[in-house]
Amino acid sequence: MAARHESVTGYREPGADMPDKAIRLQRSDPAAAAPRRPVMLAIAGDSAAGKTTLTRGIVAALGADRATAICVDDYHRYDRQERRDVPFTVLDPDCNYIEIIEQHLQLLALGRPILKPVYDHSTGRLVRPVLVEPRDFVIVEGLLPLHTKLARACFDITVYLDPPEEIRRKWKLQRDCAERGYTREQVLSELDRREPDSAAYIRPQRQWADICIRFAPAVGHGTPDGTPLSAEILLRPTVHHPDLSGVLTDDDRRTLHLKLIRDGDRRPVDALHVHGYAPREDARIAEKAIWGQLSMDAPLPETLGVLADGRRSEPLAIAQLLLVWHLYEALT
């Protein structure tokens, strides 16, 4: 009897001998245009360093139709209950799917969609994954986006948030107690437990950042309660930065000034100081001057500088604006 895929004349149907896994599926047309590669921005920092607040204003300024934001903290291996039985904290790479983070960052950098895991911070559970499709800009924030060489290679611009430790601890206490159901004692205990991992894995990422941002009170300048924190923005020569010569006039020194300092590695770096106590009208002049360098038809976004509680911070607005400038500049 003739075989199923072969006639008595010897004619063989196409694919007759081909195992299932070797069947040639119709793939995308190789002649078709490849997806446009998005501009990738990483924002790294310790827990409660301000990453989400910084990201939220950038996405709002770019427009949700043009910006995709993800958090790599969604790639935890264990939920909150399971972590009670493991010997490391979420800051340790072994507590995260680092290889999948690398794979997904590569796909996003190539303009490809991913099926991203989701960690629900309010419940501490790993929930249903979501489809993420990259738009013109992809902002990736979290604890470990710059931990590996392969991950770093996916980004056009890299940022590290570096608030003073006493301020970060205050922010974490406020957030975790108000939003995540922890007691004050639990938060303080977890901060102490995480400190060795923070020193080993989080803070070393600072060396790989093109821009380091620190929000803190202005040194040597007494300010009343409620004054927004000032910002020190280190602009490393690893990327091209906007020309601030038209902004840094003598009249604007009470708003911001630039000085050359030595970084932690003793290398010279430009430090842009943005004063939280400066009048808003003066800060707006500086913001409009930076925005004007982009030759944008749209007005300066009003979403910049908005804190989680609705208050406005001009140093935050200028930090976000500089990053928006970098994203648009990298897109052209």
Side-chain angles (χ1 to χ4, degrees):
M1 181 180 233
R4 180 180 179 185
H5 294 291
E6 186 175 1
S7 70
V8 293
T9 62
Y11 172 75
R12 300 179 64 78
E13 296 178 18
D17 297 346
M18 199 174 293
D20 291 345
K21 289 187 178 180
I23 293 176
R24 295 179 181 177
L25 300 178
Q26 180 64 40
R27 299 183 184 274
S28 58
D29 182 359
R36 180 173 181 175
R37 296 184 64 173
V39 179
M40 301 277 289
L41 166 67
I43 301 176
D46 211 334
S47 180
K51 302 181 295 294
T52 301
T53 298
L54 187 66
T55 299
R56 187 186 300 117
I58 295 170
V59 171
L62 296 169
D65 59 330
R66 301 195 67 189
T68 300
I70 72 168
C71 180
V72 291
D73 299 351
D74 284 324
Y75 292 80
H76 293 335
R77 287 180 182 268
Y78 311 102
D79 64 22
R80 189 177 297 165
Q81 180 68 31
E82 292 170 329
R83 290 203 304 272
R84 295 175 181 175
D85 299 321
V86 297
F88 36 66
T89 75
V90 292
L91 279 59
D92 190 315
D94 287 341
C95 201
N96 299 271
Y97 288 112
I98 297 296
E99 295 83 359
I100 299 177
I101 293 175
E102 292 175 329
Q103 182 186 71
H104 283 188
L105 290 178
Q106 291 176 81
L107 288 169
L108 290 170
L110 292 171
R112 309 288 185 183
I114 62 170
L115 191 62
K116 184 184 70 63
V118 176
Y119 177 80
D120 187 338
H121 283 282
S122 63
T123 64
R125 295 177 180 175
L126 295 163
V127 297
R128 187 187 301 273
V130 297
L131 179 68
V132 174
E133 300 189 64
R135 301 183 179 92
D136 290 338
F137 309 101
V138 174
I139 297 95
V140 179
E141 57 110 339
L143 296 168
L144 294 164
L146 302 178
H147 176 64
T148 70
K149 185 176 182 179
L150 182 54
R152 295 192 295 271
C154 296
F155 295 107
D156 299 279
I157 309 106
T158 55
V159 175
Y160 184 81
L161 282 178
D162 187 26
E165 188 62 11
E166 63 273 16
I167 290 177
R168 186 185 73 84
R169 291 172 71 95
K170 176 183 175 182
W171 288 345
K172 185 164 178 63
L173 272 168
Q174 292 173 339
R175 185 198 66 188
D176 286 6
C177 293
E179 301 175 15
R180 300 185 179 177
Y182 289 98
T183 66
R184 177 182 175 86
E185 291 72 23
Q186 287 174 323
V187 177
L188 292 174
S189 175
E190 184 65 11
L191 279 166
D192 292 340
R193 180 170 175 257
R194 290 184 178 193
E195 174 54 28
D197 285 347
S198 181
Y201 305 115
I202 306 301
R203 295 199 283 272
Q205 293 176 100
R206 184 183 185 277
Q207 67 186 303
W208 305 114
D210 301 311
I211 300 170
C212 295
I213 304 174
R214 165 170 287 216
F215 293 102
V219 178
H221 194 286
T223 54
D225 292 341
T227 301
L229 297 174
S230 296
E232 179 186 70
I233 306 172
L234 302 187
L235 306 173
R236 289 174 171 159
T238 46
V239 293
H240 172 66
H241 298 287
D243 179 9
L244 299 174
S245 59
V247 181
L248 299 167
T249 64
D250 290 340
D251 293 338
D252 287 328
R253 286 190 63 83
R254 62 178 176 173
T255 304
L256 68 169
H257 68 275
L258 190 70
K259 62 188 293 188
L260 187 67
I261 67 170
R262 294 283 179 178
D263 203 352
D265 58 6
R266 305 306 300 163
R267 294 181 180 179
V269 62
D270 285 329
L272 179 67
H273 294 268
V274 187
H275 306 306
Y277 53 81
R280 181 178 179 186
E281 55 271 20
D282 290 354
R284 294 286 287 179
I285 292 172
E287 291 162 20
K288 289 178 180 178
I290 297 171
W291 182 252
Q293 292 189 36
L294 291 171
S295 301
M296 300 288 290
D297 293 332
L300 179 67
E302 293 297 327
T303 55
L304 296 171
V306 178
L307 298 167
D309 60 6
R311 292 181 297 121
R312 182 176 175 85
S313 162
E314 299 305 329
L316 174 61
I318 289 177
Q320 290 170 328
L321 184 55
L322 287 171
L323 296 178
V324 169
W325 183 94
H326 275 285
L327 288 166
Y328 276 122
E329 184 73 7
L331 188 66
T332 57

